[in-house]
């Protein structure tokens, strides 16, 4: 039984515990309410500052600068600059301040934190007509937006901390603008870091094969709302942050009130051909960085380019850039989702999570830049993540001249290097559609043979495919395709006698006769394991209206059969009459093991991703496989 003295003795302990708890609560509340520290730098300004910078036409752009605090007085440093339409700085809520002040922000600081820690200034610019910037957006990646890069580089060079060297940087949309910076003609632009960019926006993302990607509409709607200052409820941020000194957000409100943003999703849904006008002075082709190729090539700015094999069609665009631009280039093609946030290999697992992938990505960019921009006190010799194959290949130094591609091979988990494309040593193997769903090495000899397909317009590759990751950076996942294939037309080879690597651009030629005047055709390259599991490797798609094969373009390198998607080349199908569709698939590198089989699967819909063509009604398609009309698959292979 406790004595009164014992009870009294426990009171000080209880008070001490309550005091400690109270102090902890106080610090947590303070950490959530107080803004993150913002120290003075040797240049007499704070680590983080923001202001408006006027463009030659008078439009004021919001520019946010983050400087390294730990540099010697009197030093000059290079800058990494990003121009984005996604808003560069938000008002922080309690939870976000808490995360920053307690050091819990983690991956969201990548790669800005590492650029700054490596001795670079980081300059973030809200593209005109977005964020806190003034102006309008007559079209995404507009000519005016591209032209803003020149004055921004000039402004950076004029800062007291600048050594006169700038690298443009971006991921996704801002990777496109980073590439446009090279067209500015500014000698101070010493490098371009372009990650997961769309070299050909309509052809490799928004309308591949001329078929509308439904994700564009939601993307465009979200952008328009944010440009107007309408933001979804969020536990960590509360709308766009004003620049320093904008009391009461008066300037921010004025900028947002003047924002006018073109609805790209609606514009693309109205067109059939890439040379149709989608806004005054713009057609679908004008959205793409390759339209500035002459100025970019003349500048000769070195490029570091990073893409994922499964990130929409961006790998093809990156290879086209590699082949078409004379600029020195390091091109890295890996097993990643959009933005490189998630590892994906259909045959191999990895323990590499988003923080590890992001860190390796940042360090590789810094290794590339350090040799070019002379960062002050940076991470020279830092690890490039070579010890983690999922994260990236070893080495990232920019070649003094020339180019290099480092690419990952699915199913093997090995990084390889080539200076040319196609990769030397591969030969073309042709496999033909044959009776009983076989894919044969022998050309057909029958006078007439076909397989009839009553089109299943509910066929889908799901909502975690290569197209959906491009709009948000979500994980990629293709479940076992065996069940889905039962609703498609499939042709499967005999088991392979040897391990066989496929690296390059597979091409499928469909010989068809349709009951409709148009249609969307999808071809899938798949691996069939001995236990029956079916793994997606890559795909291609083409709207029948655009099937005419055009001669190679003098303006750009073309991988596989080229379809102009222009009005002059459009040709409707004649119901019941044979027609040929040559479909270049998205490039890949994969090792198909001995004992596995190769499959060509054919569909006429991908319901969760692409527009239905025709919009209504049933359709019957005959897949022809006779001597005159041989449906076939061409693969770049190397047997082991």
């Amino acid at each position: 039984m406790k004595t009164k003295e014992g009870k009294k003795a426990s009171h000080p302990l209880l008070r001490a515990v309550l005091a400690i708890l109270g102090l902890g609560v106080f610090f947590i509340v303070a950490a959530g309410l107080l803004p993150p520290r913002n120290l003075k730098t040797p240049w007499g300004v704070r680590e983080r500052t923001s202001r408006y910078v006027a463009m030659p036409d008078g439009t004021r752009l919001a520019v946010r600068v983050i400087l390294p605090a730990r540099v010697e007085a009197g030093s000059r440093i290079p800058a990494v600059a990003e121009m984005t339409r996604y808003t560069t700085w938000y008002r922080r809520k309690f939870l976000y301040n808490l995360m920053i002040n307690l050091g819990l922000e983690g991956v969201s600081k990548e790669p800005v934190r590492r650029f700054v820690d490596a001795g670079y200034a980081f300059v973030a610019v809200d593209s005109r007509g977005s964020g806190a910037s003034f102006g309008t957006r007559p079209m995404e990646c507009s000519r005016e937006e591209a032209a803003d890069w020149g004055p921004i580089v000039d402004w950076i060079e004029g800062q007291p901390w600048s050594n006169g060297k700038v690298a443009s940087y971006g991921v996704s949309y801002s990777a496109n603008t980073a590439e446009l910076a090279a067209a500015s003609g500014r000698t101070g632009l010493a490098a371009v870091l372009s990650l997961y960019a769309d070299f050909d926006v309509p052809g490799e993302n928004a309308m591949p094969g001329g078929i509308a990607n439904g994700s564009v509409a939601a993307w465009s709607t979200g952008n328009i709302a944010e440009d107007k200052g309408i933001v979804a409820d969020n536990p960590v941020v509360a709308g766009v942050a004003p620049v320093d000194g904008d009391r009461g957000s008066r300037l921010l409100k004025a900028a947002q009130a003047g924002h006018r943003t073109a609805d790209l999703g609606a514009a693309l849904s109205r067109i059939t051909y890439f040379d149709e006008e989608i806004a005054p002075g713009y057609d679908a082709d004008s959205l793409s960085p390759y339209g500035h190729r002459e100025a970019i090539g003349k500048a000769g700015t070195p490029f570091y380019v990073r893409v994922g094999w499964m990130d929409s069609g961006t790998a093809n665009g990156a290879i086209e850039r590699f082949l078409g631009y004379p600029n020195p280039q390091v091109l890295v093609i890996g097993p990643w989702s959009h933005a490189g946030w998630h590892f994906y290999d259909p045959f191999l697992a990895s323990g590499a999570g988003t923080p590890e992938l992001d860190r390796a990505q940042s360090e590789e960019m810094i290794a590339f830049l350090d040799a070019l921009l002379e960062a002050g006190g940076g991470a020279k010799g830092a690890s490039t993540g070579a010890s983690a194959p999922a994260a990236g290949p070893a080495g990232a130094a920019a070649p003094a001249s020339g180019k290099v591609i480092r690419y990952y091979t699915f199913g093997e988990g090995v990084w390889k290097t080539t200076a040319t494309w196609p990769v030397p040593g591969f030969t073309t193997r042709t496999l033909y559609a044959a009776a009983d769903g076989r894919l044969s090495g022998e050309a057909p000899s029958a006078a007439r043979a076909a397989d009839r397909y009553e089109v299943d317009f509910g066929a889908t590759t799901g909502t975690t495919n290569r197209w959906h990751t491009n709009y948000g950076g979500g994980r990629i996942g293709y479940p076992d395709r065996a069940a889905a294939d039962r609703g498609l037309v499939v042709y499967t080879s005999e088991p392979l006698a040897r391990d066989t690597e496929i690296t390059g651009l597979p091409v499928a030629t469909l010989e068809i006769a349709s009951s409709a005047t148009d249609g969307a055709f999808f071809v899938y390259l798949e691996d069939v394991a001995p236990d029956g599991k079916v793994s997606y490797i890559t795909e291609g798609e083409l709207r029948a209206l655009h099937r005419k094969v055009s001669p190679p373009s003098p303006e750009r390198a073309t991988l596989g059969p080229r379809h102009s998607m222009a009005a002059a080349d459009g040709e409707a199908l004649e119901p019941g009459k044979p027609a040929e569709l040559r479909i270049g698939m998205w490039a890949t590198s994969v090792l198909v093991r001995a004992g596995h089989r190769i499959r060509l699967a054919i569909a006429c819909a991908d319901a969760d991703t692409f527009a239905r063509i025709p919009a209504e009604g049933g359709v019957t398609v005959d897949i022809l496989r006779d001597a005159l009309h041989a449906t076939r698959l061409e693969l770049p292979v190397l047997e082991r």
Side-chain angles (χ1 to χ4, degrees):
M1 184 173 180
K2 286 190 176 180
T3 66
K4 291 182 179 180
E5 289 76 8
K7 289 182 179 180
K8 289 180 180 178
S10 67
H11 291 165
L13 178 60
L14 178 61
R15 285 196 293 268
V17 170
L18 291 175
I20 292 171
L21 289 174
L23 191 61
V25 171
F26 171 80
F27 279 119
I28 290 174
V29 171
L33 293 176
L34 293 174
R37 69 175 191 172
N38 195 6
L39 302 177
K40 276 284 189 75
T41 67
W43 301 284
V45 296
R46 296 287 179 182
E47 291 176 276
R48 292 181 298 279
T49 59
S50 59
R51 58 165 294 170
Y52 281 114
V53 176
M55 298 295 100
D57 66 357
T59 301
R60 288 171 289 176
L61 303 187
V63 178
R64 330 275 184 166
V65 179
I66 304 177
L67 297 173
R70 297 180 181 87
V71 294
E72 295 181 6
S75 61
R76 297 291 183 268
I77 61 173
V80 175
E82 179 179 22
M83 184 182 294
T84 179
R85 64 109 48 255
Y86 290 136
T87 301
T88 57
W89 202 253
Y90 290 92
R91 291 187 178 95
R92 291 184 294 265
K93 289 185 178 179
F94 176 91
L95 183 58
Y96 198 8
N97 278 336
L98 179 67
M99 291 167 61
I100 295 174
N101 287 325
L102 295 183
L104 302 175
E105 189 183 16
V107 73
S108 63
K109 287 186 177 180
E110 295 282 2
V112 177
R113 178 182 60 186
R114 295 191 184 275
F115 283 136
V116 175
D117 288 348
Y120 294 87
F122 189 82
V123 180
V125 183
D126 286 343
S127 295
R128 60 170 57 220
S130 71
S133 288
F134 287 79
T136 61
R137 301 186 63 76
M139 185 43 59
E140 303 294 344
C141 288
S142 69
R143 288 180 286 273
E144 294 85 357
E145 187 174 6
D148 288 339
W149 264 110
I152 288 296
V153 172
D154 294 342
W155 181 84
I156 293 171
E157 288 182 305
Q159 299 310 296
W161 43 261
S162 174
N163 72 355
K165 293 184 179 180
V166 181
S168 60
Y169 154 82
V171 176
S172 191
Y173 183 91
S174 62
N176 293 1
T177 65
E179 183 168 343
L180 297 179
S184 68
R186 298 310 199 266
T187 56
L189 189 78
V192 172
L193 305 172
S194 178
L195 282 68
Y196 312 95
D198 300 305
F199 186 67
D200 179 350
V201 173
E204 295 161 0
N205 189 333
M207 296 181 69
I211 309 166
N213 182 344
S215 298
V216 180
W219 176 84
S220 187
T221 299
N223 290 337
I224 292 169
E226 183 159 299
D227 292 345
K228 291 179 179 178
I230 303 169
V231 294
D233 188 39
N234 189 300
V236 295
V237 296
V240 179
V243 301
D244 295 347
D246 182 12
R247 294 184 178 180
S249 300
R250 179 180 58 84
L251 295 174
L252 171 62
K253 292 174 184 176
Q256 291 177 330
H259 288 172
R260 302 289 183 274
T261 302
D263 189 337
L264 182 60
L268 292 178
S269 71
R270 291 192 297 266
I271 69 168
T272 300
Y273 303 101
F274 285 12
D275 53 355
E276 289 185 72
E277 190 174 71
I278 57 175
Y282 292 93
D283 60 19
D285 274 335
S286 66
L287 299 173
S288 303
Y290 72 73
H292 300 259
R293 61 195 171 277
E294 186 174 344
I296 293 172
K298 184 177 179 180
T301 311
F303 273 66
Y304 172 88
V305 178
R306 192 175 179 94
V307 293
W309 283 123
M310 293 285 195
D311 181 14
S312 64
T314 55
N316 281 40
I319 295 167
E320 287 183 35
R321 181 193 296 105
F322 181 87
L323 295 173
Y325 284 10
N327 308 55
Q329 294 176 63
V330 171
L331 169 57
V332 181
I333 313 176
W336 308 302
S337 65
H338 190 56
W341 290 339
H342 305 288
F343 171 86
Y344 178 77
D345 183 327
F347 307 102
L348 299 175
S350 169
T354 300
E356 181 181 2
L357 294 171
D358 243 2
R359 182 170 58 253
Q361 189 163 271
S362 299
E363 291 176 349
E364 215 177 270
M365 287 189 286
I366 290 167
F368 178 88
L369 289 181
D370 277 351
L372 295 171
L373 273 66
E374 301 173 11
K380 305 285 195 301
S383 167
T384 63
S387 60
S401 61
K403 311 173 187 179
V404 63
I405 300 177
R406 300 189 181 101
Y407 64 95
Y408 175 95
T409 299
F410 290 122
E412 188 176 16
V414 174
W415 286 93
K416 299 164 186 175
T417 302
T418 181
T420 59
W421 191 274
V423 179
F426 287 77
T427 58
T428 299
R429 176 181 298 174
T430 303
L431 300 172
Y432 298 88
D436 302 318
R438 293 181 298 111
L439 199 56
S440 171
E442 296 182 4
S445 57
R448 187 176 182 84
D451 294 303
R452 177 150 290 187
Y453 177 43
E454 298 292 340
V455 173
D456 175 9
F457 285 103
T460 181
T461 56
T463 57
T464 56
N465 61 26
R466 68 191 304 145
W467 307 103
H468 286 263
T469 186
N470 197 269
Y471 293 85
R475 292 182 182 275
I476 298 170
Y478 285 89
D480 186 345
R481 296 277 300 164
D485 281 358
R486 285 194 283 272
L488 309 181
V489 179
V490 300
Y491 300 97
T492 309
S493 74
E494 293 297 316
L496 298 182
R498 301 174 62 179
D499 288 354
T500 302
E501 181 182 338
I502 301 170
T503 294
L505 189 88
V507 176
T509 300
L510 302 187
E511 300 285 351
I512 61 101
S514 174
S515 64
T517 58
D518 198 2
F521 288 81
F522 299 84
V523 289
Y524 303 106
L525 177 64
E526 298 172 336
D527 171 290
V528 182
D531 63 2
K533 180 182 179 181
V534 180
S535 299
Y536 170 103
I537 296 174
T538 189
E539 70 181 73
E541 43 275 310
L542 181 65
R543 184 172 181 172
L545 181 71
H546 299 305
R547 68 189 180 278
K548 180 178 179 180
V549 176
S550 305
S553 170
E555 299 178 345
R556 58 184 287 195
T558 302
L559 305 183
R562 175 175 173 265
H563 306 280
S564 74
M565 314 291 178
D569 290 334
E571 184 181 0
L573 295 172
E574 184 177 331
K577 183 178 179 180
E580 181 178 272
L581 282 68
R582 293 269 292 162
I583 307 175
M585 295 188 180
W586 304 109
T588 191
S589 181
V590 60
L591 183 64
V592 181
R593 297 291 182 178
H596 288 230
R597 295 177 290 166
I598 292 170
R599 173 173 289 178
L600 172 65
I602 302 168
C604 291
D606 190 349
D608 288 310
T609 303
F610 292 102
R612 186 192 198 275
I613 303 174
E616 55 185 24
V619 176
T620 299
V621 175
D622 287 337
I623 308 297
L624 310 180
R625 48 175 179 79
D626 53 49
L628 188 59
H629 308 100
T631 291
R632 57 201 180 273
L633 174 66
E634 298 164 63
L635 299 172
V637 301
L638 176 63
E639 287 190 341
R640 300 291 180 84

